[in-house]
Amino acid sequence: MKRVFSRESYVPDAIVAAIFAVVGLLDAADAAERVGPPQLNAAAALALAGLVLVRRRWALSAGYGFLALLVVMAAGLTSPAMLSMPLFGLLLFGYSVGAHGTGPLSRAWPLACLGVITLVTLTLPDPILGDVAFPGALAVAAFVTGRAGQGRLRLAAELHEAALLAAEAREAEARRAVAAERRRIAREMHDVVAHSISVMVVQAGGARRILAREPERAEAAAAEIERTGREALLEMRRLLGVLRGPDEEAARAPAPGFDGLSGLVARARDAGLPVELRIEGEPAPLAPGVDLAAYRVVQEALLNALQHAPGAPTEVRVCWTPDALELHVADRGPGPAEDPSRDGNGNGLIGMRERVCLYGGELQTGRRSGGGFEVRARLPFDAADDSSVPPGKMAAQGAA
Protein backbone atom coordinates (compact mmCIF):
# COMPACT_ATOMS: atom_id res chain seq x y z
CA MET A 1 0.00 0.00 0.00
CA LYS A 2 2.82 2.42 0.82
CA ARG A 3 4.45 1.70 -2.53
CA VAL A 4 1.18 2.35 -4.39
CA PHE A 5 0.80 5.79 -2.79
CA SER A 6 4.49 6.76 -2.81
CA ARG A 7 5.75 10.02 -4.32
CA GLU A 8 6.93 8.20 -7.46
CA SER A 9 3.60 6.44 -8.06
CA TYR A 10 1.02 7.71 -10.56
CA VAL A 11 -1.87 6.02 -8.78
CA PRO A 12 -2.82 9.09 -6.68
CA ASP A 13 -2.72 11.32 -9.77
CA ALA A 14 -4.83 8.82 -11.69
CA ILE A 15 -7.42 8.79 -8.90
CA VAL A 16 -7.56 12.60 -8.75
CA ALA A 17 -7.74 12.81 -12.56
CA ALA A 18 -10.63 10.32 -12.58
CA ILE A 19 -12.49 12.44 -10.02
CA PHE A 20 -11.92 15.56 -12.14
CA ALA A 21 -13.16 13.70 -15.24
CA VAL A 22 -16.35 12.38 -13.62
CA VAL A 23 -17.28 15.63 -11.85
CA GLY A 24 -16.31 17.69 -14.91
CA LEU A 25 -18.55 15.62 -17.18
CA LEU A 26 -21.45 15.99 -14.75
CA ASP A 27 -20.86 19.75 -14.59
CA ALA A 28 -20.77 19.98 -18.36
CA ALA A 29 -24.03 18.07 -18.63
CA ASP A 30 -25.94 19.87 -15.84
CA ALA A 31 -24.64 23.44 -16.11
CA ALA A 32 -27.55 25.89 -15.93
CA GLU A 33 -25.86 28.40 -18.21
CA ARG A 34 -24.13 26.00 -20.56
CA VAL A 35 -22.59 27.54 -23.67
CA GLY A 36 -21.46 25.60 -26.73
CA PRO A 37 -21.99 21.98 -27.81
CA PRO A 38 -22.10 19.41 -24.99
CA GLN A 39 -19.42 17.37 -26.73
CA LEU A 40 -16.94 20.24 -26.63
CA ASN A 41 -17.71 20.98 -22.97
CA ALA A 42 -17.17 17.28 -22.19
CA ALA A 43 -13.89 17.37 -24.15
CA ALA A 44 -12.77 20.37 -22.08
CA ALA A 45 -13.54 18.45 -18.88
CA LEU A 46 -11.53 15.46 -20.08
CA ALA A 47 -8.66 17.74 -21.13
CA LEU A 48 -8.63 19.20 -17.62
CA ALA A 49 -8.48 15.67 -16.18
CA GLY A 50 -5.58 14.83 -18.53
CA LEU A 51 -3.63 17.85 -17.32
CA VAL A 52 -4.22 16.74 -13.74
CA LEU A 53 -2.75 13.35 -14.57
CA VAL A 54 0.58 14.81 -15.78
CA ARG A 55 0.78 17.79 -13.43
CA ARG A 56 3.77 16.45 -11.44
CA ARG A 57 5.83 15.14 -14.34
CA TRP A 58 5.38 18.27 -16.49
CA ALA A 59 4.36 20.85 -13.91
CA LEU A 60 4.93 24.00 -15.97
CA SER A 61 3.37 22.62 -19.15
CA ALA A 62 0.34 21.39 -17.23
CA GLY A 63 0.02 24.68 -15.31
CA TYR A 64 0.09 26.89 -18.38
CA GLY A 65 -2.04 24.39 -20.29
CA PHE A 66 -4.65 24.75 -17.55
CA LEU A 67 -4.62 28.55 -17.94
CA ALA A 68 -4.95 28.21 -21.73
CA LEU A 69 -7.90 25.82 -21.25
CA LEU A 70 -9.61 28.39 -18.98
CA VAL A 71 -9.25 31.04 -21.70
CA VAL A 72 -10.70 28.69 -24.35
CA MET A 73 -13.65 27.79 -22.11
CA ALA A 74 -14.33 31.43 -21.31
CA ALA A 75 -14.15 32.41 -24.99
CA GLY A 76 -16.45 29.81 -26.57
CA LEU A 77 -17.72 27.30 -24.02
CA THR A 78 -19.28 27.30 -20.59
CA SER A 79 -17.49 29.87 -18.39
CA PRO A 80 -15.13 28.33 -15.82
CA ALA A 81 -16.79 30.53 -13.21
CA MET A 82 -20.00 28.49 -13.65
CA LEU A 83 -18.21 25.16 -13.01
CA SER A 84 -16.74 23.67 -9.86
CA MET A 85 -13.64 21.81 -11.08
CA PRO A 86 -11.75 24.86 -12.46
CA LEU A 87 -11.76 26.30 -8.95
CA PHE A 88 -10.18 23.15 -7.55
CA GLY A 89 -7.83 23.23 -10.52
CA LEU A 90 -6.51 26.60 -9.35
CA LEU A 91 -5.52 25.01 -6.04
CA LEU A 92 -4.06 21.87 -7.58
CA PHE A 93 -2.08 23.46 -10.40
CA GLY A 94 -0.95 26.35 -8.22
CA TYR A 95 0.57 23.92 -5.75
CA SER A 96 2.07 21.74 -8.51
CA VAL A 97 3.77 24.64 -10.28
CA GLY A 98 5.09 25.97 -6.98
CA ALA A 99 6.36 22.56 -5.81
CA HIS A 100 7.73 21.13 -9.07
CA GLY A 101 8.29 24.08 -11.39
CA THR A 102 11.62 25.85 -11.81
CA GLY A 103 12.91 28.89 -13.65
CA PRO A 104 11.37 32.23 -14.62
CA LEU A 105 8.22 30.67 -16.09
CA SER A 106 7.46 29.10 -12.75
CA ARG A 107 7.82 32.41 -10.91
CA ALA A 108 5.63 34.15 -13.52
CA TRP A 109 2.77 31.66 -13.21
CA PRO A 110 0.93 33.48 -10.35
CA LEU A 111 0.79 36.70 -12.40
CA ALA A 112 -0.34 34.81 -15.49
CA CYS A 113 -2.99 33.08 -13.38
CA LEU A 114 -4.29 36.40 -12.00
CA GLY A 115 -4.45 37.75 -15.56
CA VAL A 116 -6.47 34.74 -16.78
CA ILE A 117 -8.83 34.97 -13.79
CA THR A 118 -9.40 38.64 -14.56
CA LEU A 119 -10.07 37.84 -18.22
CA VAL A 120 -12.53 35.08 -17.30
CA THR A 121 -14.30 37.39 -14.83
CA LEU A 122 -14.73 40.08 -17.48
CA THR A 123 -16.69 37.63 -19.62
CA LEU A 124 -19.36 37.33 -16.91
CA PRO A 125 -22.58 39.34 -17.16
CA ASP A 126 -22.07 41.19 -13.85
CA PRO A 127 -18.41 40.92 -12.80
CA ILE A 128 -17.43 42.02 -9.30
CA LEU A 129 -14.09 42.35 -7.52
CA GLY A 130 -14.71 39.23 -5.43
CA ASP A 131 -14.85 37.14 -8.58
CA VAL A 132 -11.16 37.97 -9.08
CA ALA A 133 -9.95 38.28 -5.49
CA PHE A 134 -11.21 34.98 -4.12
CA PRO A 135 -9.93 32.56 -6.82
CA GLY A 136 -6.76 34.64 -7.24
CA ALA A 137 -6.02 34.41 -3.52
CA LEU A 138 -6.55 30.64 -3.61
CA ALA A 139 -4.21 30.22 -6.56
CA VAL A 140 -1.45 32.40 -5.05
CA ALA A 141 -1.73 30.70 -1.65
CA ALA A 142 -1.47 27.27 -3.29
CA PHE A 143 1.58 28.42 -5.26
CA VAL A 144 3.33 29.79 -2.16
CA THR A 145 2.57 26.59 -0.25
CA GLY A 146 4.05 24.47 -3.03
CA ARG A 147 7.12 26.70 -3.24
CA ALA A 148 7.70 26.41 0.50
CA GLY A 149 7.34 22.64 0.33
CA GLN A 150 9.82 22.52 -2.52
CA GLY A 151 12.32 24.51 -0.46
CA ARG A 152 11.95 22.17 2.49
CA LEU A 153 12.40 19.11 0.27
CA ARG A 154 15.49 20.61 -1.35
CA LEU A 155 16.93 21.48 2.05
CA ALA A 156 16.21 17.98 3.34
CA ALA A 157 17.89 16.46 0.26
CA GLU A 158 20.95 18.68 0.72
CA LEU A 159 21.18 17.81 4.40
CA HIS A 160 20.84 14.12 3.59
CA GLU A 161 23.57 14.31 0.98
CA ALA A 162 25.81 16.25 3.36
CA ALA A 163 25.24 13.62 6.04
CA LEU A 164 26.14 10.84 3.59
CA LEU A 165 29.31 12.65 2.52
CA ALA A 166 30.28 13.23 6.14
CA ALA A 167 29.69 9.57 6.96
CA GLU A 168 31.79 8.47 3.97
CA ALA A 169 34.55 10.88 5.01
CA ARG A 170 34.50 9.50 8.55
CA GLU A 171 34.66 5.93 7.26
CA ALA A 172 37.53 6.79 4.91
CA GLU A 173 39.41 8.52 7.71
CA ALA A 174 38.83 5.53 9.99
CA ARG A 175 40.12 3.18 7.29
CA ARG A 176 43.22 5.35 6.80
CA ALA A 177 43.83 5.41 10.54
CA VAL A 178 43.48 1.64 10.77
CA ALA A 179 45.81 1.13 7.81
CA ALA A 180 48.41 3.47 9.31
CA GLU A 181 48.22 1.72 12.67
CA ARG A 182 48.52 -1.68 11.00
CA ARG A 183 51.63 -0.52 9.14
CA ARG A 184 53.17 0.76 12.36
CA ILE A 185 52.42 -2.50 14.17
CA ALA A 186 53.77 -4.50 11.21
CA ARG A 187 57.06 -2.57 11.30
CA GLU A 188 57.43 -3.20 15.01
CA MET A 189 56.62 -6.90 14.63
CA HIS A 190 59.06 -7.12 11.73
CA ASP A 191 61.80 -5.89 14.05
CA VAL A 192 60.81 -8.50 16.64
CA VAL A 193 60.91 -11.32 14.05
CA ALA A 194 64.21 -10.10 12.62
CA HIS A 195 65.74 -10.01 16.11
CA SER A 196 64.52 -13.53 16.85
CA ILE A 197 65.98 -14.85 13.62
CA SER A 198 69.30 -13.12 14.33
CA VAL A 199 69.40 -14.77 17.75
CA MET A 200 68.70 -18.15 16.13
CA VAL A 201 71.55 -17.67 13.65
CA VAL A 202 74.00 -16.73 16.40
CA GLN A 203 72.91 -19.65 18.61
CA ALA A 204 73.09 -22.10 15.72
CA GLY A 205 76.63 -20.98 14.93
CA GLY A 206 77.69 -21.30 18.56
CA ALA A 207 76.09 -24.74 18.89
CA ARG A 208 77.91 -25.94 15.79
CA ARG A 209 81.25 -24.81 17.17
CA ILE A 210 80.81 -26.45 20.59
CA LEU A 211 78.94 -29.54 19.45
CA ALA A 212 82.00 -31.81 19.69
CA ARG A 213 83.48 -30.33 22.89
CA GLU A 214 80.38 -29.58 24.95
CA PRO A 215 77.38 -31.54 23.68
CA GLU A 216 75.24 -30.54 26.67
CA ARG A 217 75.65 -26.85 25.94
CA ALA A 218 75.04 -27.55 22.27
CA GLU A 219 71.82 -29.36 23.17
CA ALA A 220 70.72 -26.41 25.34
CA ALA A 221 71.51 -24.05 22.48
CA ALA A 222 69.44 -26.21 20.12
CA ALA A 223 66.53 -26.10 22.57
CA GLU A 224 66.84 -22.32 22.73
CA ILE A 225 66.89 -22.18 18.93
CA GLU A 226 63.71 -24.25 18.84
CA ARG A 227 61.99 -21.99 21.38
CA THR A 228 63.08 -18.82 19.60
CA GLY A 229 61.99 -20.27 16.25
CA ARG A 230 58.54 -21.07 17.58
CA GLU A 231 58.22 -17.54 18.93
CA ALA A 232 59.38 -16.11 15.60
CA LEU A 233 56.88 -18.26 13.74
CA LEU A 234 54.09 -17.10 16.04
CA GLU A 235 55.07 -13.47 15.55
CA MET A 236 55.20 -14.02 11.79
CA ARG A 237 51.65 -15.35 11.83
CA ARG A 238 50.57 -12.33 13.81
CA LEU A 239 52.36 -10.10 11.35
CA LEU A 240 50.49 -11.66 8.46
CA GLY A 241 47.26 -11.21 10.40
CA VAL A 242 48.02 -7.50 10.79
CA LEU A 243 48.80 -7.10 7.10
CA ARG A 244 45.71 -9.01 6.06
CA GLY A 245 42.63 -6.82 5.69
CA PRO A 246 39.75 -7.26 8.16
CA ASP A 247 37.52 -8.66 5.40
CA GLU A 248 40.11 -11.07 3.99
CA GLU A 249 40.04 -14.71 4.91
CA ALA A 250 43.18 -16.65 5.55
CA ALA A 251 44.13 -19.17 2.89
CA ARG A 252 43.30 -22.66 4.10
CA ALA A 253 45.28 -24.57 1.44
CA PRO A 254 49.09 -24.77 1.60
CA ALA A 255 51.00 -22.53 -0.78
CA PRO A 256 51.78 -24.27 -4.08
CA GLY A 257 55.34 -25.16 -4.98
CA PHE A 258 57.41 -25.72 -8.07
CA ASP A 259 57.04 -29.47 -7.65
CA GLY A 260 53.42 -28.96 -8.74
CA LEU A 261 54.48 -27.64 -12.15
CA SER A 262 53.30 -30.77 -13.97
CA GLY A 263 49.83 -30.45 -12.46
CA LEU A 264 49.74 -26.77 -13.42
CA VAL A 265 50.58 -27.59 -17.03
CA ALA A 266 47.99 -30.38 -17.06
CA ARG A 267 45.28 -27.99 -15.85
CA ALA A 268 46.23 -25.54 -18.60
CA ARG A 269 45.84 -28.34 -21.17
CA ASP A 270 42.43 -29.21 -19.73
CA ALA A 271 41.46 -25.56 -20.16
CA GLY A 272 42.18 -25.81 -23.90
CA LEU A 273 45.76 -24.55 -24.12
CA PRO A 274 48.14 -26.96 -25.91
CA VAL A 275 51.19 -26.78 -23.61
CA GLU A 276 54.50 -28.65 -23.95
CA LEU A 277 56.71 -28.91 -20.87
CA ARG A 278 60.49 -29.29 -21.26
CA ILE A 279 62.88 -29.64 -18.32
CA GLU A 280 66.63 -29.33 -18.74
CA GLY A 281 69.34 -29.90 -16.14
CA GLU A 282 69.34 -31.49 -12.72
CA PRO A 283 66.67 -30.13 -10.33
CA ALA A 284 68.02 -28.57 -7.15
CA PRO A 285 66.28 -27.73 -3.87
CA LEU A 286 64.81 -24.24 -3.76
CA ALA A 287 64.25 -21.89 -0.88
CA PRO A 288 60.53 -21.72 -0.02
CA GLY A 289 60.14 -18.18 -1.30
CA VAL A 290 61.96 -18.87 -4.57
CA ASP A 291 59.96 -22.07 -4.96
CA LEU A 292 56.67 -20.20 -4.71
CA ALA A 293 57.90 -17.34 -6.93
CA ALA A 294 58.88 -19.75 -9.72
CA TYR A 295 55.51 -21.47 -9.57
CA ARG A 296 53.64 -18.15 -9.70
CA VAL A 297 55.66 -16.89 -12.68
CA VAL A 298 54.74 -19.94 -14.76
CA GLN A 299 51.14 -19.78 -13.53
CA GLU A 300 50.71 -16.14 -14.53
CA ALA A 301 52.41 -16.70 -17.89
CA LEU A 302 50.05 -19.58 -18.70
CA LEU A 303 47.07 -17.52 -17.53
CA ASN A 304 48.06 -14.69 -19.89
CA ALA A 305 48.38 -17.20 -22.72
CA LEU A 306 44.90 -18.56 -21.97
CA GLN A 307 43.44 -15.06 -21.95
CA HIS A 308 45.22 -13.53 -24.92
CA ALA A 309 46.16 -16.55 -27.07
CA PRO A 310 43.57 -19.27 -26.43
CA GLY A 311 44.35 -22.42 -28.39
CA ALA A 312 47.81 -21.25 -29.45
CA PRO A 313 50.69 -23.75 -29.04
CA THR A 314 52.63 -22.87 -25.91
CA GLU A 315 55.98 -24.09 -24.56
CA VAL A 316 57.15 -24.10 -20.95
CA ARG A 317 60.89 -24.65 -20.66
CA VAL A 318 62.60 -25.08 -17.28
CA CYS A 319 66.38 -24.94 -17.21
CA TRP A 320 68.29 -25.85 -14.05
CA THR A 321 71.73 -24.23 -14.09
CA PRO A 322 74.39 -24.50 -11.37
CA ASP A 323 73.49 -21.11 -9.88
CA ALA A 324 69.96 -20.27 -11.02
CA LEU A 325 66.60 -21.49 -12.22
CA GLU A 326 65.67 -20.20 -15.66
CA LEU A 327 62.06 -20.20 -16.88
CA HIS A 328 60.82 -19.60 -20.42
CA VAL A 329 57.11 -19.56 -21.33
CA ALA A 330 56.27 -18.72 -24.95
CA ASP A 331 53.14 -18.97 -27.08
CA ARG A 332 52.50 -18.52 -30.80
CA GLY A 333 49.33 -16.49 -30.50
CA PRO A 334 48.70 -12.86 -31.54
CA GLY A 335 49.91 -11.58 -28.17
CA PRO A 336 48.02 -9.35 -25.74
CA ALA A 337 46.28 -6.31 -27.17
CA GLU A 338 47.33 -4.35 -24.08
CA ASP A 339 49.50 -4.76 -21.01
CA PRO A 340 48.61 -8.16 -19.49
CA SER A 341 49.25 -6.64 -16.07
CA ARG A 342 45.92 -4.96 -16.47
CA ASP A 343 43.98 -8.17 -16.44
CA GLY A 344 41.65 -7.06 -13.69
CA ASN A 345 43.06 -9.16 -10.84
CA GLY A 346 46.36 -7.41 -10.26
CA ASN A 347 48.43 -10.59 -10.77
CA GLY A 348 49.79 -10.11 -14.29
CA LEU A 349 53.23 -8.92 -15.34
CA ILE A 350 53.40 -6.57 -12.37
CA GLY A 351 53.05 -9.50 -10.01
CA MET A 352 55.77 -11.41 -11.86
CA ARG A 353 58.14 -8.46 -11.69
CA GLU A 354 57.54 -7.96 -8.00
CA ARG A 355 58.19 -11.62 -7.20
CA VAL A 356 61.30 -11.91 -9.36
CA CYS A 357 62.64 -8.58 -8.06
CA LEU A 358 62.16 -9.72 -4.47
CA TYR A 359 64.66 -12.54 -4.98
CA GLY A 360 67.20 -10.58 -7.03
CA GLY A 361 66.20 -12.16 -10.30
CA GLU A 362 65.69 -10.90 -13.83
CA LEU A 363 62.51 -10.79 -15.92
CA GLN A 364 62.07 -10.26 -19.64
CA THR A 365 58.68 -10.06 -21.35
CA GLY A 366 57.54 -9.08 -24.80
CA ARG A 367 56.55 -10.19 -28.27
CA ARG A 368 58.53 -12.83 -30.08
CA SER A 369 60.15 -12.10 -33.41
CA GLY A 370 58.34 -15.05 -35.01
CA GLY A 371 54.98 -14.14 -33.50
CA GLY A 372 53.51 -14.69 -30.08
CA PHE A 373 54.46 -13.58 -26.60
CA GLU A 374 57.13 -14.83 -24.22
CA VAL A 375 58.15 -14.54 -20.59
CA ARG A 376 61.72 -15.20 -19.45
CA ALA A 377 62.70 -15.28 -15.77
CA ARG A 378 65.92 -16.08 -13.96
CA LEU A 379 65.87 -16.80 -10.22
CA PRO A 380 69.30 -17.22 -8.54
CA PHE A 381 69.58 -19.94 -5.93
CA ASP A 382 71.55 -17.82 -3.46
CA ALA A 383 69.18 -14.82 -3.49
CA ALA A 384 67.64 -15.78 -0.16
CA ASP A 385 71.00 -15.77 1.60
CA ASP A 386 72.67 -12.86 -0.17
CA SER A 387 71.67 -9.60 1.50
CA SER A 388 73.76 -7.62 -0.96
CA VAL A 389 71.35 -8.25 -3.83
CA PRO A 390 69.81 -4.88 -4.68
CA PRO A 391 66.02 -4.92 -4.68
CA GLY A 392 65.80 -3.40 -8.11
CA LYS A 393 67.89 -5.96 -9.97
CA MET A 394 65.64 -7.01 -12.76
CA ALA A 395 64.89 -6.21 -16.39
CA ALA A 396 61.49 -5.96 -18.01
CA GLN A 397 62.14 -5.43 -21.66
CA GLY A 398 60.68 -6.68 -24.89
CA ALA A 399 62.19 -9.56 -26.74
CA ALA A 400 63.95 -8.83 -29.95
Side-chain angles (χ1 to χ4, degrees):
M1 184 64 68
K2 291 182 179 179
R3 183 178 300 177
V4 171
F5 290 97
S6 64
R7 293 178 56 86
E8 293 78 11
S9 175
Y10 281 96
V11 173
D13 291 338
I15 294 175
V16 176
I19 294 174
F20 265 73
V22 173
V23 178
L25 291 175
L26 293 177
D27 276 349
D30 297 337
E33 300 181 12
R34 184 175 62 200
V35 177
Q39 295 85 354
L40 292 181
N41 282 278
L46 294 177
L48 177 57
L51 293 173
V52 170
L53 184 62
V54 298
R55 64 183 178 84
R56 284 195 296 177
R57 187 171 183 179
W58 297 295
L60 282 178
S61 299
Y64 279 99
F66 169 69
L67 297 182
L69 182 62
L70 294 183
V71 172
V72 171
M73 293 173 65
L77 300 174
T78 303
S79 175
M82 303 299 174
L83 304 172
S84 58
M85 298 319 292
L87 182 62
F88 290 101
L90 290 174
L91 292 171
L92 194 61
F93 287 101
Y95 179 85
S96 298
V97 173
H100 306 292
T102 57
L105 288 178
S106 173
R107 294 189 292 270
W109 190 87
L111 293 178
C113 184
L114 290 176
V116 170
I117 292 174
T118 302
L119 181 62
V120 171
T121 302
L122 293 177
T123 62
L124 298 176
D126 299 313
I128 59 176
L129 182 60
D131 293 335
V132 176
F134 178 68
L138 289 179
V140 173
F143 177 84
V144 173
T145 302
R147 185 66 70 183
Q150 182 190 55
R152 286 195 299 272
L153 289 176
R154 184 183 299 113
L155 177 61
E158 292 175 354
L159 292 176
H160 179 67
E161 182 178 0
L164 291 178
L165 292 176
E168 292 177 358
R170 287 194 299 270
E171 292 177 0
E173 183 62 27
R175 287 194 296 269
R176 285 193 294 269
V178 169
E181 185 65 15
R182 284 176 175 269
R183 287 193 297 270
R184 185 186 66 81
I185 295 173
R187 286 193 296 269
E188 294 177 354
M189 297 181 70
H190 169 269
D191 295 339
V192 172
V193 173
H195 174 72
S196 298
I197 294 176
S198 299
V199 171
M200 292 168 57
V201 172
V202 171
Q203 290 175 338
R208 179 177 57 82
R209 286 191 296 270
I210 66 175
L211 180 60
R213 300 192 312 270
E214 303 179 63
E216 293 182 357
R217 289 183 58 190
E219 183 179 356
E224 184 65 19
I225 292 173
E226 180 182 5
R227 185 189 64 81
T228 306
R230 292 182 183 276
E231 293 178 354
L233 181 60
L234 179 60
E235 293 298 330
M236 183 64 72
R237 288 174 179 170
R238 291 172 179 167
L239 175 60
L240 293 177
V242 169
L243 295 178
R244 184 179 295 118
D247 298 330
E248 297 181 28
E249 296 183 359
R252 301 190 180 276
F258 200 63
D259 55 356
L261 182 62
S262 299
L264 178 63
V265 171
R267 288 192 295 272
R269 290 196 190 102
D270 294 340
L273 186 69
V275 185
E276 179 184 354
L277 175 62
R278 293 174 53 192
I279 300 179
E280 303 173 0
E282 186 67 23
L286 298 173
V290 178
D291 186 64
L292 177 60
Y295 181 89
R296 292 301 189 195
V297 167
V298 178
Q299 183 183 43
E300 294 297 341
L302 292 177
L303 177 61
N304 288 335
L306 278 169
Q307 290 180 340
H308 303 290
T314 304
E315 180 187 33
V316 177
R317 184 164 60 87
V318 179
C319 183
W320 297 88
T321 67
D323 58 348
L325 171 63
E326 297 180 355
L327 305 172
H328 182 212
V329 182
D331 64 69
R332 299 189 178 278
E338 56 183 10
D339 189 352
S341 63
R342 300 176 182 175
D343 58 1
N345 57 18
N347 294 327
L349 295 183
I350 293 178
M352 294 188 208
R353 293 189 182 108
E354 291 296 326
R355 292 181 185 277
V356 173
C357 172
L358 181 62
Y359 295 100
E362 299 177 359
L363 179 71
Q364 296 178 344
T365 63
R367 297 182 182 276
R368 304 174 62 189
S369 58
F373 194 83
E374 68 177 353
V375 174
R376 292 179 179 270
R378 183 180 185 276
L379 292 166
F381 293 147
D382 59 350
D385 300 326
D386 186 5
S387 59
S388 65
V389 177
K393 182 185 177 184
M394 71 170 182
Q397 45 187 287

